[in-house]
Amino acid sequence: MSDMIWSAETATAKAEGAPLVALESTIITHGMPYPENLHTASAVEDEVRRAGAIPATIAVLDGRLHIGLESAQLERLAALPAPMKLSRADLAVAMATGASGGTTVAATMIAAARAGIDVFATGGIGGVHLGAEHSWDISADLHQLAQSRVTVVCAGPKAILDLPKTLEVLETLGVPVIAYGQDALPAFWSPASPFAAPLRMDDARAIAAAHTARAALDLPGGQLICNPVPAADAIPYADLAPLITAAAAKAHAAGIAAKNVTPYLLNHLNAATEGRTLTANIALIRANARLAAAIAQALQMQPRPRT
Ligand code: PSU
Ligand code: MN
């Protein structure tokens, strides 16, 4: 499609019908410091390749929507001095004005759906923020999950969020929230939150079958797969909870609002844990890339009654 630019690797995969996994880029531009962002982005792409699929990192450079980045483009994105954080509201404006930036879960879903990519791996999705009853801060990620037919593999909603309220909004929107291999809802840096996930699935093939079943029912919207962070780099929820409460209070006192809340809290938690949240973040996104590749391959093996 003329509004999208495919990389050499993704164009070949598309032509050959190879399984593709979309990757977001706000984690690169706003989620991690340089150069860990660049190293992590390439490591995540390699995880997808090793697991038998082709990575398609999605971003906007000079107003062009890229489905897969060449390595020089990835390096440029990771080092941009003032990248935009592009969510659903921003994507078209960035494309019309020649801007550059990282796409959030919401914007990456829009691009992936248009590109015909069914599976997308990220770290954690946005959701309902703590104090949302005052701030009304609810991520556009939740609304996009109800609209784009893409299976999103994450490590749960980011632990900086109000998890029960996030689950309630997803339930209202009819988005299946599926814990992978356990009953508890994973909480990003922590493998288990105190809350049960509404649904549980234990294997990639069944997840692929559910994706296809949604299409057969003509249901818009995606599935949210919540894959617990690998144990070696996980941080117990009870250790993080007080730090999160303190960080959220600090953000509120400092007048941090709207798009700046998530990057502020992630930075703050990274400092407060002496880098442990960043280590966990890198481990979990790599694990999500592997699971997403397995789902993409399972989808590929199915006969597809496309709607
Ligand atoms: N997960 C991370 N780092 C991030 C994000 C997720 O480890 O930076 C990004 C995702 O792109 C997600 C976005 O879509 O934060 C949510 O931002 P907001 O709450 O402002 O919608
Ligand atoms: Mn927000």
Side-chain angles (χ1 to χ4, degrees), residues 1 4-23 45 48-49 53-59 65-71 73 111-112 115-117 119 300:
M1 252 166 265
M4 297 185 288
I5 298 185
W6 294 70
S7 66
E9 187 185 26
T10 58
T12 304
K14 178 84 172 162
E16 293 175 348
L20 280 152
V21 171
L23 299 168
E45 289 195 347
V48 173
R49 292 187 190 102
I54 300 298
T57 300
I58 290 175
L65 178 59
H66 288 263
I67 310 295
L69 296 175
E70 309 296 349
S71 48
Q73 292 167 339
I117 301 176
V119 186
Q300 209 67 16

Side-chain angles (χ1 to χ4, degrees), residues 189-259:
W189 305 299
S190 313
S193 71
F195 313 103
L199 296 162
R200 166 183 177 157
M201 295 180 93
D202 292 352
D203 82 283
R205 255 173 318 167
I207 294 168
H211 180 100
T212 307
R214 291 183 65 85
L217 289 167
D218 213 9
L219 281 175
Q223 322 188 89
L224 187 65
I225 310 302
C226 301
N227 182 28
V229 55
D233 293 304
I235 312 176
Y237 189 77
D239 294 2
L240 282 173
L243 301 178
I244 290 167
T245 312
K250 211 163 167 183
H252 179 70
I256 309 291
K259 303 171 95 65

Side-chain angles (χ1 to χ4, degrees), residues 261-279:
V261 174
T262 296
Y264 177 95
L265 291 175
L266 293 179
N267 275 335
H268 200 84
L269 267 292
N270 186 33
T273 60
E274 285 156 352
R276 282 178 72 205
T277 55
L278 181 57
T279 304

